[in-house]
Every structure is written in C-alpha cells, then in structure tokens.
Amino acid sequence: MSILGPIDLIILSFPAGQPPDSFLAAVQEIERRNDVRILDALVVTKGPDGRIGRTELSDIANLGDVAADIAARRTLGMVGLDDVNEIAMVMDPDTTVLALLVENVWAREAAEEVRRHNGRLLATVRIPHEQIAEVEAELSGTATPQTLT
C-alpha cells in the first residue's frame, strides 16, 4: 500500500457554465506547489430544467494538464456514477459542480505516523469562511450587531 496523506472529496458549486478560469488556474498552482495531489475530478452540470450532465475534465481547456496528470497516476475514475447521482441530488438548477478528490500531501508524513501507531482519524470538520470572519471581527472589536447573528 502506498503512503498517502488524508483524502478529501471536495464539492464546489458555481453558477451555470464551467468553473471560472481564475479558479482553475488556482487549482493548478496548488497542485504544482505539491500542497495537494488531485486524484480524480468530475464536473457535473444541472440545467435550468433539472437535466444532469457530466463533463470530462479533459474537455475543459484550462484543466488539460491536470487531466493528463490524473490519467498518468491511474486514479481516474475513483469518483464515479454513484457520486454523480448523489451530487446531482443536492445541486441547485443551473449550476456546475466540480468534485475534486484530493490527497493532502502536506499531511502525508503525519498521517503515516498515526497509522504506524494504530491511530485513526476520528473526524474532520470544515469551518465556513463566514464563521471565521465573524470570530475574527469579534476578536478584533470590529464586529457589528449584524455580523454577530
């Protein structure tokens, strides 16, 4: 078994159309820096009428290199049809979702040590940016009554 860092499936939603070029460039830069390694990716669209579509990563011009890297790793297809169906159930009409299966490379060594000592990950929690901003505002004394609700 290869040594892997923690793996996350991240589901990002955008208004109709494909994810913005600036976001796609940021994804490529993050992987280039080796902060994360994209194991698989999937693009799901939901039209205004509720019809579901799936786009191959290689069909998105700015992600061609990432798609080639994933194919070379032989991890393409880890996010499959069952995932498309689950994602589609929570999508709003006229949106595009990018599902990224990523390895947190930065945590690889720590994760291996946890496994070596029979430890395990009990939970992981994502804290929304808005909540962090509220707490920062409160701590800095710049919070207004609206930001505290």
Side-chain angles (χ1 to χ4, degrees):
M1 180 176 169
S2 62
I3 297 172
L4 291 172
I7 308 291
D8 290 318
L9 178 60
I10 302 169
I11 312 293
L12 305 165
S13 179
F14 298 93
Q18 70 180 35
D21 289 345
S22 59
F23 170 77
L24 300 176
V27 168
Q28 287 184 314
E29 176 61 19
I30 290 166
E31 186 172 57
R32 186 195 65 73
R33 286 193 320 247
N34 210 26
D35 294 334
V36 299
R37 184 171 66 128
I38 300 172
L39 300 175
D40 199 5
L42 179 69
V43 180
V44 181
T45 58
K46 190 174 202 175
D49 60 358
R51 287 190 186 173
I52 303 301
R54 177 180 174 189
T55 303
E56 294 298 324
L57 204 58
S58 57
D59 292 338
I60 299 177
N62 291 341
L63 284 183
D65 291 343
V66 172
D69 290 345
I70 293 169
R73 290 182 195 125
R74 301 184 191 274
T75 56
L76 196 62
M78 293 178 91
V79 181
L81 188 56
D82 290 343
D83 299 303
V84 170
N85 294 333
E86 283 189 45
I87 291 167
M89 289 175 30
V90 298
M91 289 178 71
D92 290 329
D94 207 20
T95 57
T96 298
V97 163
L98 178 60
L100 296 171
L101 186 67
V102 298
E103 174 196 3
N104 293 286
V105 176
W106 60 269
R108 188 181 283 167
E109 291 172 15
E112 182 58 23
E113 281 301 303
V114 168
R115 289 184 207 107
R116 192 168 75 83
H117 295 284
N118 296 317
R120 62 188 176 101
L121 178 65
L122 289 179
T124 182
V125 177
R126 297 270 181 214
I127 302 170
H129 172 76
E130 296 80 11
Q131 288 182 355
I132 296 296
E134 287 176 14
V135 170
E136 286 178 335
E138 188 176 326
L139 292 174
S140 70
T142 60
T144 63
Q146 291 96 3
T147 61
L148 294 177
T149 59

